[in-house]
Amino acid sequence: MKPIRVIGTGLFFATWGISCIAFTLVGLPFVWLLFFQSDDREIWFRRFIGVFFRCFLRAAQWFGLISFEVSGLERLRSNVLVVSNHPSLVDVMFLLGWVPELVCIVKNGLFRNPLTVFPVTSAGYIDNDNDELLALAIECLRSGQSLLIFPEGTRTLPGESFQFRRGAANIAIFASVPICPVTIAMNPIAWGKHQAWWKVVGDDTPHYKIEFHRTWDLNQFEGTRSRKARTVTKELEIFYGEKAGSTAVCDS
């Protein structure tokens, strides 16, 4: 691994930290003042966060720290549950950067961090440790919005089989909305689970492939709700398992 890769990665995260502080202290308060009387205030916050993520990733690409391609956005419909595998630390930035209207289920720690509590609360994101998580997620979808969830509940470990929780399927079934699966591929592996920020395999720039796939209509699955949830979860595991060679690590 070239030292320049370590330096570049360090600059990536240092710039990210500084940008987050400036974004929280300056950008979001401005949006709050501009739209505090608007009924769509949360949507505007999410759009602003999306613009921030997208600009940051474009800048990182321009400086040669990462490269990426996003495809299949034309397949995305409104009022769906978006599910995705989660191979690296920055996956959510791609998804919210290109689909900023998504409501996101985020880690409880972000609601306790003084630098992140304001943006995640203002955007109407959902705490994954909330006792009313299922009800809040269903309410979000029934209101006509779209929701993002990582059904593994944590980052994907390359080479291991996908083990999805049934929560995502249950939410979609109870809310009567379709599922839009997204696959995220990267090569070389970087910023994965249990992987130090500076430990990047190889000397090449991490390249991401984000693909939105056709929407699944859950009416095609029969049985009781619990049986349908098991079936949908299993089908999702099979779907991602078939693409395991290109979702956890993509070919050059």
Side-chain angles (χ1 to χ4, degrees), residues 8 14 21 37 41 44 91 109 116 180 193 211 220:
I21 293 173
Q37 290 184 323
R41 183 173 62 249
W44 282 107
D91 303 331
T116 55
C180 178
K193 190 175 183 180
E211 183 175 2
Q220 65 181 301

Side-chain angles (χ1 to χ4, degrees), residues 16-83:
W16 167 248
I18 294 170
S19 299
C20 282
I21 293 173
F23 179 72
T24 301
L25 297 180
V26 180
L28 286 177
F30 173 76
V31 176
W32 190 88
L33 290 172
L34 195 62
F35 297 105
F36 79 100
Q37 290 184 323
S38 172
D39 294 334
D40 298 327
R41 183 173 62 249
E42 289 183 349
I43 295 176
W44 282 107
F45 267 100
R46 293 200 289 270
R47 288 173 179 168
F48 193 58
I49 290 172
V51 169
F52 171 64
F53 283 167
R54 192 163 183 165
C55 288
F56 183 81
L57 290 169
R58 288 292 190 193
Q61 182 183 44
W62 190 84
F63 281 106
L65 299 177
I66 61 171
S67 62
F68 57 85
E69 52 189 288
V70 181
S71 63
L73 276 170
E74 71 281 357
R75 302 187 182 111
L76 183 63
R77 293 160 48 184
S78 60
N79 191 209
V80 296
L81 178 66
V82 176
V83 300

